[in-house]
Amino acid sequence: MRILITGASGLLGLNLALELCGEHTVFGTVNQHPLHSKEFSVIQVDLLASGALESLFEQTKPDWVIHCAALANLEACEADPALASQLNTELPRRLAQLCKKTRRDVTRGGARLVHISTDAVFDGARGNYREADEPNPLGVYARTKLEAEWAVAEADSSAIIARVNLFGWSMGGRRSLAEFFFNNLSAGRQVMGFSDVIFCPLLANDIAHILVHMLELGLSGVYHTVSGECLSKYEFGVRLAQRFGLDAGLITPTSVQQGGLSAARAPDLSLRTEKLAAALGQPLPSLSPALERFYTLYQQGYPQKIQGLGEKG
Ligand SMILES: NC(=O)c1ccc[n+]([C@@H]2O[C@H](COP(=O)([O-])OP(=O)(O)OC[C@H]3O[C@@H](n4cnc5c(N)ncnc54)[C@H](OP(=O)(O)O)[C@@H]3O)[C@@H](O)[C@H]2O)c1
C-alpha cells in the first residue's frame, strides 16, 4: 500500500513510518524538524499552507493516510488557541474532505483516512470510558481534538478515528513519558510520578500494526486504540524502571495537584477497548509485552538510530 503519514518527525508518526516502511511504500511529512531517512520518503511541507494538501495527494497518491500531525503540546495550545484550532481541527477536516473526494475519482481508487485523536477528549472524572460515552474536554488541546473528531466524521464517515495514548522513542529523545523516566532515572535524578493520573499507553510501534489491521478490516468511526492495561503514571515509571534495571526508588508518587502544571490534566483516562478488541478478534496489548519491545528496541540501538535521523549525513 502507499501510506501517507503526516507528522513523521513526531513521536507517533516517526515510529509508524519506520515500522511500516518494510512492507509498504511510506511517505512521511515533516515541517520544522528535518528528517533524513533512506527507508521512507520524507516530504517537507507546512500542511497549513494554501494548496499543500492537494499537492501532497497529487505527489503521493496514497491508498491510506494516517494523520498524526497536530499541535500536541497542551501548554502551546493554551498559548495559541487559534493555531491549535487550525492544526487540530481545520486541518483534519480538510484532509477528510480530500480523502472522500479522491474516492469519487474512480480512476484513482482513493484514500482511506485514519485520524489520530486522543483519550483526553474525556474529562477523566470517572474513567473506564467507552466510545459512546459523552466527552468533556478540559482544555484547548482536548477541545480542538474533539472538534476534529466531529469534523472528520462529518466530512468522511468512512474515516477511522483512533483515540490513542502512547509511549515510545522519539527523535528529540524527550517527547514521551517513557523517555522522561528513562532519561532521569538513568542519570540518577529523582522525579515525580503522578499516582492519581491513570492512562492506558500503547507502544507507538505496536500502534502501527493495529492501525493497519483496522484499515485492512475496513473499520470506520471512533475506536479506543489504547492498551488493554491501564495504570497510574507513577506505576508506569516503576514498571519501566524495573524492566531497565533502574532505581524505581527515585520516583516519588505525587498528586497531579502538586505537580505545578499550567494546562489542566484529566485524572482518570482509563478507556475500555472491547469495541476494538472485538473487531480485531484479539485483546489490545498489555503493558508488559510493550515494555519488553521498548527495551529490545533500546538494546538494538533504536533510540540512537532515530535521533540520528534528525542529523544530516
Ligand atoms: N504524545 C502523546 O502522548 C499523545 C497522546 C494522545 C494522543 N496523541 C495524538 O497523537 C498524534 C501525534 O502526536 P505526537 O505526540 O506524535 O505529536 P508530536 O511529537 O508533537 O509531533 C507533531 C507533528 O506534527 C507536525 N506538524 C505540526 N505542525 C505542522 C504543520 N503546520 N505542517 C506540517 N506538520 C506539522 C510536526 O512537524 P515538525 O515537528 O517537523 O514541525 C510533528 O511531526 C496527535 O494527533 C496527538 O494529538 C498523542
Side-chain angles (χ1 to χ4, degrees), residues 5-16 29-35 43-49 52 56 67-74 83 86-88 91 115-120 141 145 162-168 170-171 175-177 199 201-202 204 207 226 233:
I5 298 174
T6 66
S9 44
L11 171 63
L12 181 58
L14 180 53
N15 286 296
L16 295 187
T29 76
V30 304
N31 186 28
Q32 290 178 356
H33 289 96
L35 175 62
I43 301 170
Q44 194 283 323
V45 58
D46 177 356
L47 295 170
L48 293 181
L56 192 56
H67 179 49
C68 304
L71 192 61
N73 178 300
L74 273 61
L83 180 63
Q86 280 301 308
L87 265 170
N88 293 347
L91 175 59
H115 171 65
I116 302 296
S117 188
T118 173
D119 54 358
Y141 167 71
K145 294 293 289 186
R163 289 180 181 154
V164 304
N165 194 295
L166 63 134
F167 68 101
S170 68
M171 197 161 70
R175 180 75 186 89
S176 78
L177 182 69
F199 71 148
L202 276 176
I207 293 179
V226 296
K233 296 200 168 180

Coordinates of all heavy atoms in Angstrom, one line a residue, residues 5-16 29-35 43-49 52 56 67-74 83 86-88 91 115-120 141 145 162-168 170-171 175-177 199 201-202 204 207 226 233, ligand 1:
I5 N 1.9 9.4 5.8 CA 1.9 9.6 7.3 C 2.2 11.1 7.5 O 3.3 11.5 7.2 CB 2.9 8.7 8.0 CG1 2.5 7.2 7.8 CG2 2.9 9.0 9.5 CD1 3.4 6.2 8.4
T6 N 1.3 11.9 8.1 CA 1.6 13.3 8.4 C 2.3 13.3 9.8 O 2.0 12.4 10.6 CB 0.4 14.1 8.4 OG1 -0.5 13.7 9.4 CG2 -0.4 14.1 7.1
G7 N 3.1 14.3 10.0 CA 3.8 14.4 11.3 C 4.8 13.3 11.5 O 5.0 12.8 12.7
A8 N 5.6 13.0 10.5 CA 6.6 11.9 10.6 C 7.8 12.3 11.4 O 8.7 11.4 11.6 CB 7.0 11.4 9.2
S9 N 7.9 13.5 11.8 CA 9.0 13.9 12.7 C 8.6 13.8 14.2 O 9.4 13.9 15.1 CB 9.5 15.3 12.4 OG 8.4 16.2 12.2
G10 N 7.3 13.5 14.4 CA 6.7 13.4 15.7 C 6.9 12.1 16.3 O 7.3 11.1 15.7
L11 N 6.5 12.0 17.6 CA 6.7 10.7 18.3 C 5.9 9.6 17.7 O 6.5 8.5 17.4 CB 6.1 10.9 19.8 CG 5.9 9.7 20.6 CD1 7.3 9.0 20.9 CD2 5.3 10.0 21.9
L12 N 4.7 9.8 17.4 CA 3.9 8.7 16.8 C 4.2 8.5 15.3 O 4.5 7.4 14.9 CB 2.4 9.0 16.9 CG 1.4 7.9 16.3 CD1 1.7 6.5 17.0 CD2 0.0 8.3 16.5
G13 N 4.2 9.6 14.5 CA 4.4 9.5 13.1 C 5.7 8.8 12.7 O 5.8 8.0 11.8
L14 N 6.8 9.1 13.4 CA 8.1 8.6 13.0 C 8.1 7.1 13.3 O 8.6 6.3 12.5 CB 9.2 9.3 13.8 CG 10.6 8.8 13.5 CD1 11.0 8.8 12.0 CD2 11.7 9.6 14.3
N15 N 7.6 6.7 14.4 CA 7.6 5.2 14.7 C 6.7 4.5 13.8 O 7.0 3.4 13.4 CB 7.2 5.0 16.2 CG 8.3 5.4 17.1 OD1 9.4 4.8 17.1 ND2 8.1 6.4 18.0
L16 N 5.6 5.1 13.4 CA 4.7 4.4 12.4 C 5.4 4.3 11.1 O 5.4 3.2 10.5 CB 3.4 5.3 12.2 CG 2.4 5.5 13.3 CD1 1.2 6.2 12.8 CD2 2.0 4.2 14.0
T29 N 5.5 13.2 6.2 CA 5.7 14.6 6.1 C 6.3 15.2 7.4 O 6.0 14.7 8.5 CB 4.4 15.4 5.8 OG1 3.6 15.4 7.0 CG2 3.6 14.8 4.7
V30 N 7.1 16.2 7.2 CA 7.7 16.9 8.3 C 7.5 18.4 8.1 O 7.3 18.8 6.9 CB 9.2 16.6 8.5 CG1 9.5 15.1 8.7 CG2 10.1 17.1 7.3
N31 N 7.6 19.2 9.1 CA 7.5 20.7 8.9 C 8.8 21.4 9.3 O 9.7 21.6 8.5 CB 6.3 21.2 9.6 CG 6.0 22.7 9.2 OD1 6.4 23.1 8.2 ND2 5.4 23.4 10.2
Q32 N 8.9 21.6 10.6 CA 10.1 22.4 11.1 C 11.3 21.5 11.5 O 12.4 22.0 11.6 CB 9.7 23.2 12.3 CG 8.7 24.3 11.9 CD 8.3 25.2 13.0 OE1 8.6 24.9 14.2 NE2 7.5 26.2 12.7
H33 N 11.0 20.2 11.7 CA 12.1 19.3 12.1 C 12.6 18.5 10.9 O 11.9 17.6 10.5 CB 11.7 18.4 13.3 CG 11.6 19.2 14.6 ND1 10.4 19.7 15.0 CD2 12.5 19.6 15.5 CE1 10.5 20.3 16.1 NE2 11.8 20.3 16.4
P34 N 13.8 18.8 10.4 CA 14.3 18.0 9.3 C 14.5 16.5 9.7 O 14.7 16.2 10.9 CB 15.7 18.6 9.0 CG 16.0 19.6 10.1 CD 14.8 19.8 10.9
L35 N 14.3 15.7 8.7 CA 14.4 14.2 8.9 C 15.1 13.7 7.7 O 14.7 14.0 6.6 CB 13.0 13.7 9.1 CG 12.7 12.2 9.3 CD1 13.4 11.7 10.5 CD2 11.2 12.0 9.4
I43 N 8.9 14.2 3.1 CA 8.4 15.4 2.3 C 8.3 16.5 3.3 O 7.5 16.4 4.3 CB 7.0 15.1 1.7 CG1 7.2 13.9 0.7 CG2 6.5 16.4 1.0 CD1 5.8 13.4 0.2
Q44 N 9.0 17.6 3.0 CA 8.9 18.8 3.9 C 7.7 19.6 3.4 O 7.7 20.1 2.3 CB 10.2 19.6 3.9 CG 10.4 20.6 5.0 CD 9.5 21.9 4.8 OE1 9.4 22.3 3.7 NE2 9.0 22.4 5.9
V45 N 6.7 19.9 4.3 CA 5.6 20.7 3.9 C 4.9 21.3 5.2 O 4.8 20.6 6.2 CB 4.6 19.8 3.1 CG1 4.1 18.6 3.9 CG2 3.4 20.6 2.7
D46 N 4.5 22.5 5.0 CA 3.6 23.1 6.0 C 2.2 22.8 5.6 O 1.7 23.3 4.6 CB 3.8 24.7 6.1 CG 2.9 25.3 7.1 OD1 2.0 24.6 7.7 OD2 3.0 26.5 7.3
L47 N 1.6 21.9 6.3 CA 0.3 21.4 5.9 C -0.8 22.5 6.0 O -1.9 22.3 5.4 CB -0.1 20.2 6.8 CG 0.7 19.0 6.7 CD1 0.4 18.0 7.8 CD2 0.6 18.3 5.3
L48 N -0.5 23.6 6.6 CA -1.5 24.7 6.7 C -1.3 25.6 5.5 O -2.2 26.5 5.3 CB -1.3 25.5 8.0 CG -1.6 24.8 9.3 CD1 -1.5 25.7 10.5 CD2 -3.1 24.2 9.3
A49 N -0.3 25.5 4.7 CA -0.1 26.4 3.6 C -1.2 26.1 2.5 O -1.6 24.9 2.3 CB 1.3 26.1 3.0
A52 N -1.4 23.0 0.0 CA -0.4 22.0 0.4 C -0.9 20.5 0.4 O -0.3 19.6 -0.1 CB 0.2 22.3 1.8
L56 N 0.3 17.5 -2.1 CA 0.8 16.3 -1.4 C 0.1 15.0 -1.9 O 0.7 14.0 -2.2 CB 0.5 16.4 0.1 CG 1.1 15.5 1.1 CD1 2.6 15.5 1.0 CD2 0.8 15.9 2.5
H67 N -3.1 10.4 9.8 CA -2.9 11.8 10.1 C -2.4 12.0 11.6 O -3.3 12.0 12.5 CB -4.2 12.6 9.9 CG -4.0 14.0 10.2 ND1 -3.0 14.8 9.7 CD2 -4.8 14.9 10.9 CE1 -3.1 16.0 10.2 NE2 -4.2 16.1 10.9
C68 N -1.1 12.1 11.8 CA -0.6 12.3 13.1 C -0.2 13.8 13.4 O 0.0 14.1 14.6 CB 0.7 11.5 13.3 SG 0.5 9.7 12.9
A69 N 0.0 14.6 12.4 CA 0.4 16.0 12.6 C -0.6 16.7 13.5 O -1.8 16.6 13.3 CB 0.6 16.7 11.3
A70 N -0.1 17.5 14.4 CA -1.0 18.2 15.3 C -0.2 19.2 16.2 O 1.0 19.1 16.2 CB -1.7 17.2 16.3
L71 N -0.9 20.0 16.9 CA -0.3 20.8 17.9 C -0.6 20.0 19.2 O -1.7 20.2 19.8 CB -0.8 22.2 18.0 CG 0.0 23.2 18.9 CD1 1.4 23.3 18.4 CD2 -0.7 24.6 18.9
A72 N 0.3 19.1 19.6 CA 0.0 18.2 20.6 C 0.5 18.6 22.0 O 0.4 17.8 23.0 CB 0.6 16.8 20.3
N73 N 1.1 19.8 22.1 CA 1.6 20.3 23.4 C 0.5 21.1 24.0 O 0.1 22.1 23.5 CB 2.9 21.1 23.1 CG 3.5 21.7 24.4 OD1 2.8 22.4 25.1 ND2 4.7 21.3 24.7
L74 N 0.1 20.6 25.2 CA -1.0 21.2 25.9 C -0.8 22.7 26.2 O -1.7 23.5 25.9 CB -1.4 20.5 27.2 CG -2.3 19.3 27.1 CD1 -1.7 18.2 26.2 CD2 -2.6 18.8 28.5
L83 N -4.1 28.9 16.5 CA -3.3 27.9 15.8 C -3.7 26.5 16.2 O -3.7 25.6 15.3 CB -1.8 28.1 16.2 CG -0.8 27.2 15.6 CD1 -0.8 27.4 14.1 CD2 0.6 27.3 16.1
Q86 N -6.6 25.7 14.0 CA -6.2 25.4 12.6 C -5.6 24.1 12.5 O -6.0 23.3 11.5 CB -5.2 26.5 12.2 CG -5.8 27.9 11.8 CD -6.8 27.7 10.7 OE1 -6.5 27.1 9.6 NE2 -8.0 28.2 10.9
L87 N -4.7 23.8 13.3 CA -3.9 22.5 13.2 C -4.7 21.3 13.6 O -4.7 20.2 13.0 CB -2.6 22.6 14.0 CG -1.4 23.0 13.3 CD1 -0.2 23.3 14.2 CD2 -0.9 22.0 12.2
N88 N -5.4 21.4 14.7 CA -6.0 20.2 15.3 C -7.4 20.0 14.8 O -7.9 18.8 14.9 CB -6.1 20.4 16.8 CG -4.7 20.3 17.4 OD1 -3.7 19.9 16.8 ND2 -4.5 20.7 18.7
L91 N -7.4 21.4 9.9 CA -6.5 20.6 9.0 C -7.1 19.2 8.8 O -7.3 18.7 7.7 CB -5.1 20.5 9.6 CG -4.1 19.6 8.9 CD1 -4.0 20.0 7.4 CD2 -2.8 19.7 9.6
H115 N -7.6 9.1 11.3 CA -7.3 10.4 12.1 C -7.0 10.0 13.5 O -7.7 9.3 14.2 CB -8.6 11.3 12.0 CG -8.4 12.4 13.0 ND1 -7.5 13.4 12.7 CD2 -9.0 12.7 14.1 CE1 -7.5 14.3 13.7 NE2 -8.4 13.9 14.6
I116 N -5.8 10.5 13.9 CA -5.4 10.2 15.3 C -6.0 11.2 16.3 O -5.8 12.4 16.2 CB -3.8 10.2 15.4 CG1 -3.2 9.2 14.4 CG2 -3.4 10.0 16.8 CD1 -3.5 7.8 14.7
S117 N -6.8 10.7 17.2 CA -7.3 11.5 18.3 C -6.7 11.1 19.6 O -5.7 10.5 19.7 CB -8.9 11.4 18.3 OG -9.4 12.4 19.2
T118 N -7.4 11.5 20.7 CA -6.8 11.4 22.0 C -7.7 10.9 23.1 O -8.9 11.2 23.0 CB -6.1 12.7 22.4 OG1 -5.7 12.6 23.8 CG2 -7.2 13.9 22.4
D119 N -7.2 10.2 24.1 CA -8.0 9.9 25.3 C -8.5 11.1 26.0 O -9.4 11.1 26.8 CB -7.2 9.0 26.2 CG -5.9 9.5 26.6 OD1 -5.5 10.6 26.1 OD2 -5.2 8.9 27.4
A120 N -7.8 12.3 25.8 CA -8.1 13.5 26.5 C -9.4 14.2 26.1 O -9.7 15.2 26.7 CB -6.9 14.5 26.4
Y141 N -6.4 22.1 23.9 CA -5.9 20.9 23.1 C -7.0 19.9 23.0 O -7.4 19.5 21.9 CB -4.7 20.3 23.8 CG -4.3 18.9 23.3 CD1 -3.8 18.7 22.0 CD2 -4.6 17.8 24.0 CE1 -3.4 17.5 21.5 CE2 -4.3 16.5 23.6 CZ -3.7 16.4 22.3 OH -3.4 15.1 21.8
K145 N -9.2 18.8 19.6 CA -9.1 17.4 19.1 C -10.5 16.8 19.1 O -10.8 16.0 18.1 CB -8.3 16.6 20.1 CG -6.8 16.9 20.1 CD -6.1 16.7 18.8 CE -5.9 15.2 18.5 NZ -5.0 15.0 17.3
A162 N -9.0 7.2 15.7 CA -8.4 6.4 16.7 C -8.0 7.2 17.9 O -7.1 8.1 17.7 CB -7.2 5.7 16.1
R163 N -8.6 7.0 19.0 CA -8.2 7.7 20.2 C -7.1 6.9 20.8 O -7.3 5.8 21.3 CB -9.4 7.8 21.2 CG -10.5 8.7 20.8 CD -11.6 8.8 21.8 NE -12.7 9.6 21.3 CZ -14.0 9.5 21.7 NH1 -14.3 8.5 22.5 NH2 -14.9 10.4 21.3
V164 N -5.9 7.6 20.8 CA -4.7 6.8 21.3 C -4.2 7.4 22.6 O -4.5 8.6 23.0 CB -3.6 6.9 20.2 CG1 -4.1 6.3 18.9 CG2 -3.1 8.3 20.0
N165 N -3.3 6.7 23.2 CA -2.3 7.2 24.2 C -1.1 6.3 24.0 O -1.2 5.1 23.7 CB -2.8 7.1 25.6 CG -1.9 8.0 26.5 OD1 -0.7 7.7 26.7 ND2 -2.4 9.0 27.0
L166 N 0.1 6.9 24.1 CA 1.2 6.2 23.6 C 2.5 6.5 24.3 O 2.6 7.6 25.0 CB 1.4 6.4 22.1 CG 1.7 7.8 21.7 CD1 2.8 7.9 20.7 CD2 0.5 8.5 21.1
F167 N 3.5 5.7 24.2 CA 4.9 6.0 24.5 C 5.8 5.4 23.5 O 5.3 4.6 22.7 CB 5.2 5.4 25.9 CG 5.3 3.9 26.1 CD1 6.5 3.3 26.1 CD2 4.1 3.2 26.2 CE1 6.6 1.9 26.2 CE2 4.2 1.8 26.3 CZ 5.4 1.1 26.3
G168 N 7.0 5.8 23.5 CA 8.0 5.3 22.5 C 9.2 6.1 22.5 O 9.4 7.0 23.3
S170 N 11.6 8.8 20.7 CA 11.3 9.9 19.8 C 12.6 10.5 19.2 O 13.7 10.3 19.8 CB 10.6 11.0 20.5 OG 11.4 11.6 21.5
M171 N 12.5 11.3 18.2 CA 13.7 11.9 17.5 C 14.4 12.8 18.4 O 15.7 12.8 18.5 CB 13.3 12.6 16.2 CG 14.4 12.9 15.3 SD 13.8 13.2 13.6 CE 13.1 14.8 13.8
R175 N 10.3 13.2 24.1 CA 8.9 13.5 23.8 C 7.9 12.7 24.6 O 6.9 13.2 24.9 CB 8.6 13.3 22.3 CG 7.2 13.5 21.8 CD 6.9 15.0 21.7 NE 5.5 15.3 21.4 CZ 4.6 15.4 22.3 NH1 4.9 15.3 23.6 NH2 3.3 15.7 21.9
S176 N 8.3 11.5 25.0 CA 7.3 10.6 25.7 C 7.6 10.5 27.2 O 8.8 10.7 27.6 CB 7.3 9.3 25.0 OG 8.3 8.4 25.4
L177 N 6.6 10.1 27.9 CA 6.8 9.9 29.3 C 7.8 8.8 29.6 O 8.5 8.9 30.6 CB 5.4 9.5 29.9 CG 5.4 9.3 31.5 CD1 5.6 10.7 32.2 CD2 4.1 8.7 31.9
F199 N -3.8 6.2 32.9 CA -3.8 6.1 31.4 C -3.5 4.7 30.9 O -3.2 3.8 31.7 CB -2.8 7.2 30.8 CG -1.3 6.8 31.0 CD1 -0.4 7.2 30.0 CD2 -0.8 6.1 32.1 CE1 0.9 6.9 30.2 CE2 0.5 5.8 32.3 CZ 1.4 6.3 31.3
P201 N -1.3 3.4 28.1 CA -0.4 3.7 26.9 C -0.1 2.5 26.1 O 0.2 1.4 26.6 CB 0.8 4.3 27.6 CG 0.9 3.6 28.9 CD -0.6 3.4 29.3
L202 N -0.1 2.6 24.8 CA 0.4 1.6 23.9 C 1.8 2.1 23.4 O 2.0 3.3 23.3 CB -0.5 1.5 22.6 CG -1.8 0.7 22.7 CD1 -2.6 0.8 21.4 CD2 -1.5 -0.8 22.9
A204 N 4.1 3.1 20.6 CA 3.9 3.7 19.2 C 4.1 2.6 18.1 O 3.3 2.6 17.2 CB 4.8 4.9 19.0
I207 N 1.2 0.4 17.7 CA 0.0 1.1 17.2 C 0.1 1.0 15.6 O -1.0 0.9 15.0 CB 0.0 2.6 17.6 CG1 -0.3 2.7 19.1 CG2 -1.1 3.4 16.8 CD1 -0.3 4.1 19.6
V226 N -6.0 2.0 22.6 CA -5.1 2.2 23.8 C -4.8 0.8 24.3 O -5.4 -0.2 23.9 CB -5.7 3.0 24.9 CG1 -6.0 4.5 24.4 CG2 -7.0 2.4 25.4
K233 N 0.5 7.0 36.2 CA 1.8 7.3 35.6 C 3.0 6.9 36.5 O 4.1 6.6 36.1 CB 1.8 8.8 35.3 CG 0.8 9.1 34.2 CD 1.0 10.4 33.5 CE 0.0 10.4 32.2 NZ 0.1 11.6 31.4
Ligands
LIG1 N1 2.1 12.0 22.5 C1 1.1 11.6 23.2 O1 1.2 11.1 24.3 C2 -0.3 11.6 22.6 C3 -1.4 11.1 23.4 C4 -2.7 11.1 22.8 C5 -2.9 11.5 21.5 N2 -1.8 11.9 20.8 C6 -2.1 12.4 19.4 O2 -1.2 11.6 18.6 C7 -0.9 12.4 17.4 C8 0.7 12.5 17.3 O3 1.2 13.1 18.5 P1 2.7 13.2 18.7 O4 2.9 13.2 20.2 O5 3.4 12.2 17.8 O6 3.0 14.7 18.2 P2 4.4 15.5 18.1 O7 5.5 14.6 18.6 O8 4.2 16.8 18.8 O9 4.5 15.7 16.6 C9 3.7 16.6 15.9 C10 3.9 16.5 14.4 O10 3.1 17.5 13.8 C11 3.8 18.1 12.8 N3 3.3 19.4 12.5 C12 2.9 20.4 13.3 N4 2.5 21.5 12.7 C13 2.6 21.2 11.3 C14 2.3 21.9 10.1 N5 1.9 23.2 10.1 N6 2.6 21.3 9.0 C15 3.1 20.0 8.9 N7 3.3 19.3 10.0 C16 3.1 19.9 11.2 C17 5.2 18.3 13.4 O11 6.2 18.5 12.4 P3 7.6 19.3 12.8 O12 7.9 18.9 14.2 O13 8.5 18.8 11.7 O14 7.3 20.8 12.7 C18 5.4 16.9 14.0 O15 5.8 16.0 13.1 C19 -1.5 13.8 17.6 O16 -2.7 13.8 16.9 C20 -1.8 13.8 19.1 O17 -2.9 14.6 19.4 C21 -0.6 12.0 21.3

